[in-house]
Amino acid sequence: MNDTISSDEILGKTEQHLHFIDEHLAIHKAMVSAFKSLKKAALSDGFTISVASGFRSFERQEMIWNSKFLGTKPVKDNQGNNIDITQLCDIDKAHAILLYSALPGASRHHWGCDIDIYAQNLLPEGQQPQLEPWEYEDTGPFATLSTWLEQNAHSFDFYFPYNQYREGVAAEPWHISFAPLSHAYEQAFQLDLLVSCLAHSSVAGKQVIIDNIEKIAQRYIYNVNQGKFNL
């Protein structure tokens, strides 16, 4: 493991690496300068970039996961249709959830250097972003922001880990990653660390996940854009 990255940082069990933008929103403290530069450049071109989701703790990710696994929060397919997850076996439930939601302990949001962004000034007054693909496509409200990010994010060392669907996680055009940090976290990540964490957690369906962890990791954790930039 990278000596400068603790297991708790990888798993989302500490806030020691964070800078809080406000009471509820935090990003990695070593990313603050680059993100401010990105925001400033975007603003000069007419985009008021905001962070919809920054750091997410293990406990928060576990809450999201469990509510979906137990059927109390909607789960959608790749076409945006709701799935009746109560009709699925545990492994199929896990696959359905992993399309849009990371496994607790394996979320890139734990690291603080991966964030979901949007531009509030591109939305009608009072409307909030849904973080759905259509918003960033040609006729969506964030289409121009998406084009701008594709052209400029790399200048500030940001890239798109989910730039396209690879039979794992759905494409997420709102999700950008700060390469100097995220690549270090990727290298420090250890599958046995995740398994141990899950075994001692309250994650719903954890046994079937542990039993299938290598296949799950290959499909949903490691299966990302490996390039520094979205070219």
Side-chain angles (χ1 to χ4, degrees):
M1 183 181 297
N2 187 316
D3 291 339
T4 63
I5 296 176
S6 70
S7 60
D8 282 347
E9 286 181 44
I10 295 170
L11 298 169
K13 290 180 171 290
T14 181
E15 297 181 350
Q16 65 181 9
H17 56 305
L18 303 177
H19 166 81
F20 278 83
I21 296 174
D22 60 37
E23 184 180 358
H24 304 290
L25 180 63
I27 62 176
H28 199 293
K29 58 188 177 185
M31 191 181 84
V32 173
S33 178
F35 181 59
K36 285 183 176 179
S37 295
L38 175 72
K39 283 187 66 175
K40 183 178 179 180
L43 184 60
S44 70
D45 286 334
F47 304 104
T48 56
I49 287 181
S50 297
V51 179
S53 183
F55 166 77
R56 200 177 300 144
S57 69
F58 179 92
E59 290 74 20
R60 174 60 181 160
Q61 195 68 29
E62 183 180 57
M63 186 185 306
I64 294 170
W65 177 274
N66 286 356
S67 63
K68 290 188 173 185
F69 199 94
L70 299 174
T72 59
K73 188 177 179 69
V75 176
K76 295 186 176 183
D77 63 19
N78 221 351
Q79 285 72 50
N81 302 310
N82 286 344
I83 299 171
D84 183 1
I85 202 165
T86 62
Q87 301 301 308
L88 302 179
C89 65
D90 283 359
I91 188 59
D92 287 342
K93 286 181 181 180
H95 284 301
I97 296 168
L98 285 163
L99 179 65
Y100 285 110
S101 295
L103 187 63
S107 172
R108 297 175 67 98
H109 281 280
H110 294 335
W111 308 340
C113 55
D114 280 53
I115 57 178
D116 299 334
I117 62 172
Y118 67 101
Q120 185 65 52
N121 66 311
L122 298 182
L123 287 173
E125 185 175 355
Q127 186 173 323
Q128 295 301 311
Q130 304 302 306
L131 294 186
E132 295 185 355
W134 67 268
E135 293 176 296
Y136 294 77
E137 294 169 354
D138 292 345
T139 59
F142 302 134
T144 53
L145 171 66
S146 188
T147 298
W148 187 91
L149 287 169
E150 289 172 2
Q151 296 173 347
N152 296 280
H154 66 275
S155 298
F156 305 93
D157 282 336
F158 288 93
Y159 73 109
F160 299 82
Y162 306 118
N163 62 326
Q164 64 186 47
Y165 179 56
R166 294 177 170 82
E167 304 299 327
V169 178
E172 295 189 351
W174 52 83
H175 184 135
I176 63 173
S177 180
F178 186 54
L181 290 172
S182 62
H183 290 341
Y185 279 98
E186 287 173 348
Q187 293 169 6
F189 179 84
Q190 295 178 2
L191 202 55
D192 59 352
L193 182 69
L194 174 61
V195 169
S196 177
C197 176
L198 290 172
H200 294 88
S201 76
S202 298
V203 171
K206 66 181 182 181
Q207 192 55 56
V208 75
I209 294 165
I210 292 171
D211 291 344
N212 293 273
I213 195 63
E214 292 190 9
K215 290 182 179 179
I216 287 173
Q218 289 300 327
R219 184 172 176 181
Y220 301 101
I221 300 174
Y222 305 137
N223 188 21
V224 296
N225 178 16
Q226 296 298 323
K228 183 177 180 181
F229 308 133
N230 182 20
L231 299 177

